[in-house]
Amino acid sequence: MNTIYLDNAATTAVSPEVLQAMLPYFTEHYGNPSSVHATGRDARKAIEAARRQVAAAIGADPAEIYFTAGGSESDNWAIKGAAFMNRRKGNHIITTAIEHHAVLHTCGWLEKQGFEVTYLPVDAEGRVTPEQVEAAITDKTILITIMAANNEIGTLEPIAEIGKIAKAHKILFHTDAVQAVGAIPLDVKAMNIDMLSMSAHKFHGPKGIGVLYIRKGVRIDTLIHGGAQERGQRAGTENLAGIVGLGKAIEIATTDLPAKAARLSALRDRLIDGILERVPDVRVNGPREGRLPNNANVSVRYIEGESMLLRLDLAGIAASSGSACTSGSLDPSHVLLAIGLPHEVAHGSLRMTLGSETTEAEIDRVLEVLPGIISDLRSMSVLNKDTSTVTDEVFYHGKK
Ligand SMILES: *Cc1c(COP(=O)(O)O)cnc(C)c1O
């Protein structure tokens, strides 16, 4: 039985074309790109070709693309680098309560170094407004860092509008676009983005390779010190095969993006609508419009997300109960709490994220299996209409 893999927000399969593009760079073309001999020069050429592929995908210049070891490093570098470079100008950073931990924990560490961070609250669907961002700006603000798309509930943030505000106030704007690259169109110039993080393994590339886009003229401190790689800004012998894989993966992911996004959105809606039709007492987390094409997130009343996961796993379906980073811990997701869900409801959440290989038949299989699992678990649950502290009003937040 093939696994139905619906955890593409956690990581994706490396696509066959990406793997094929990478293989020669482990064997034939293994040179160090800093070497002057022909083997080294071949490696250098491959890296610069990948840099052009990335730049083309987000409307940047190749000279604005820096390879890193992934999304977490890119977030750390952008935020710490901007904070320390600008600390004479000010010490205030604006972000949101629903960022990935790579952003939140970096901001938390900076608070210990004397920086001040505003964590903007979000509405019931996970959105911040440009007005909130503008109102939080002080004469000490040096950085705004707000994600393009949320990894748990799929909410798309108004990045272009926030970019406009940041530009008008001459404040650096970084966006964690790890979930957005390859899912929605991105143009760093049109959106006034100064720095953007991405990670190959979220768009069918390999793990351990990412990019930080840094707009020309923006200067941030170095995070990884050492050799002169990446124009002296990020030391370490380049992850050659990884970089080649990232380049190929982003090229594939952004080719015919609107058609691919439309296909996934239709499957996503088939999944969400199918669950709502077949299972009573389910709420959708995140907006119906303005959400990632591949993200479905629901809370199922009276039962635990973890128990649904285990039962789905037995049925050959891979899903998630929130973010992979928080599952295994008993704390409910900070994102679900930030949209106002009580702990009990947050614990009953299930995230299913589609990928380029997901088929309609797989979605239909999930719709066949999931209602039975839920009614089974409900029959065994200690929570029910009489014991639950959560009312209809709380559960549905005014919408059904
Ligand atoms: C996965 C993810 C990251 C971390 O990227 P890694 O490459 O796994 O370090 C950061 N932000 C978001 C929104 C993510 O989904």
Side-chain angles (χ1 to χ4, degrees):
M1 183 178 63
N2 280 334
T3 299
I4 296 178
Y5 184 78
L6 295 178
D7 202 11
N8 286 278
T11 197
T12 61
V14 172
S15 76
E17 300 99 300
V18 169
L19 178 63
Q20 284 311 314
M22 290 173 71
L23 286 177
Y25 293 90
F26 289 108
T27 50
E28 231 178 302
H29 306 296
Y30 52 79
N32 187 321
S34 299
S35 300
V36 289
H37 47 66
T39 312
R41 290 199 308 273
D42 282 352
R44 166 64 50 206
K45 259 188 221 149
I47 289 179
E48 297 318 318
R51 208 185 298 284
R52 286 192 296 274
Q53 286 170 312
V54 176
I58 60 169
D61 294 332
E64 298 173 314
I65 303 302
Y66 296 85
F67 293 109
T68 68
S72 297
E73 184 190 319
S74 295
D75 287 342
N76 270 263
W77 184 18
I79 297 167
K80 291 175 187 170
F84 282 99
M85 180 58 84
N86 293 292
R87 77 184 137 164
R88 263 168 231 96
K89 272 191 226 158
N91 71 339
H92 180 231
I93 297 168
I94 298 170
T95 187
T96 77
I98 62 162
E99 300 295 312
H100 190 274
H101 284 138
V103 169
L104 287 181
H105 291 171
T106 299
C107 288
W109 181 81
L110 284 172
E111 284 183 282
K112 291 192 216 144
Q113 315 300 314
F115 291 91
E116 276 171 32
V117 182
T118 298
Y119 299 91
L120 294 173
V122 294
D123 69 13
E125 300 192 322
R127 269 196 218 97
V128 283
T129 63
E131 293 74 28
Q132 276 179 286
V133 176
E134 186 149 43
I137 293 173
T138 72
D139 55 2
K140 293 264 186 293
T141 307
I142 51 173
L143 174 69
I144 297 168
T145 173
I146 294 179
M147 68 197 332
N150 184 267
N151 48 300
E152 293 191 38
I153 57 174
T155 310
L156 304 179
E157 301 298 343
I159 292 306
E161 289 84 346
I162 295 169
K164 214 177 273 175
I165 289 167
K167 187 181 181 186
H169 290 266
K170 298 193 169 61
I171 296 167
L172 286 180
F173 174 42
H174 165 252
T175 186
D176 175 339
V178 172
Q179 292 289 334
V181 169
I184 58 168
L186 291 168
D187 184 318
V188 288
K189 298 224 159 67
M191 295 172 147
N192 289 306
I193 295 167
D194 293 310
M195 296 183 281
L196 176 147
S197 302
M198 67 172 82
S199 177
H201 77 97
K202 301 294 177 71
F203 50 85
H204 299 282
K207 296 170 182 61
I209 184 73
V211 160
L212 182 63
Y213 152 82
I214 309 175
R215 179 196 288 280
K216 219 174 277 171
V218 169
R219 290 187 56 230
I220 64 172
D221 266 351
T222 301
L223 183 69
I224 309 288
H225 298 92
Q229 288 90 356
E230 296 300 279
R231 297 179 295 286
Q233 302 302 302
R234 198 277 184 181
T237 302
E238 295 87 341
N239 177 353
L240 177 59
I243 289 170
V244 169
L246 186 151
K248 187 70 190 169
I250 200 167
E251 186 182 279
I252 296 172
T254 53
T255 302
D256 297 329
L257 181 55
K260 289 173 187 161
R263 187 190 84 91
L264 282 182
S265 299
L267 286 180
R268 171 204 64 196
D269 290 341
R270 186 181 182 90
L271 178 59
I272 294 177
D273 292 334
I275 295 172
L276 292 177
E277 266 164 35
R278 289 166 178 77
V279 186
D281 289 323
V282 172
R283 82 183 294 279
V284 178
N285 297 318
R288 287 306 304 263
E289 299 292 329
R291 81 182 288 139
L292 280 173
N294 77 331
N295 176 293
N297 189 315
V298 293
S299 285
V300 181
R301 217 168 172 180
Y302 309 129
I303 57 178
E304 292 277 334
E306 297 289 315
S307 53
M308 280 186 279
L309 277 194
L310 295 175
R311 291 289 298 269
L312 284 169
D313 189 36
L314 284 176
I317 298 164
S320 158
S321 64
S323 70
C325 319
T326 44
S327 65
S329 86
L330 287 174
D331 294 333
S333 135
H334 65 285
V335 176
L336 296 176
L337 297 183
I339 62 170
L341 297 191
H343 282 226
E344 186 184 309
V345 182
H347 274 303
S349 82
L350 183 66
R351 180 187 73 179
M352 288 175 280
T353 44
L354 290 53
S356 59
E357 327 87 335
T358 307
T359 63
E360 191 172 287
E362 289 181 324
I363 296 301
D364 290 347
R365 172 76 187 144
V366 173
L367 292 174
E368 212 176 279
V369 169
L370 185 60
I373 290 177
I374 291 172
S375 62
D376 214 36
L377 290 170
R378 277 181 174 160
S379 73
M380 299 185 294
S381 175
V382 293
L383 288 173
N384 56 47
K385 269 198 168 45
D386 304 320
T387 60
S388 173
T389 56
V390 172
T391 60
D392 272 7
E393 205 183 341
V394 168
F395 187 78
Y396 292 109
H397 282 273
K399 55 174 186 174
K400 208 157 175 170

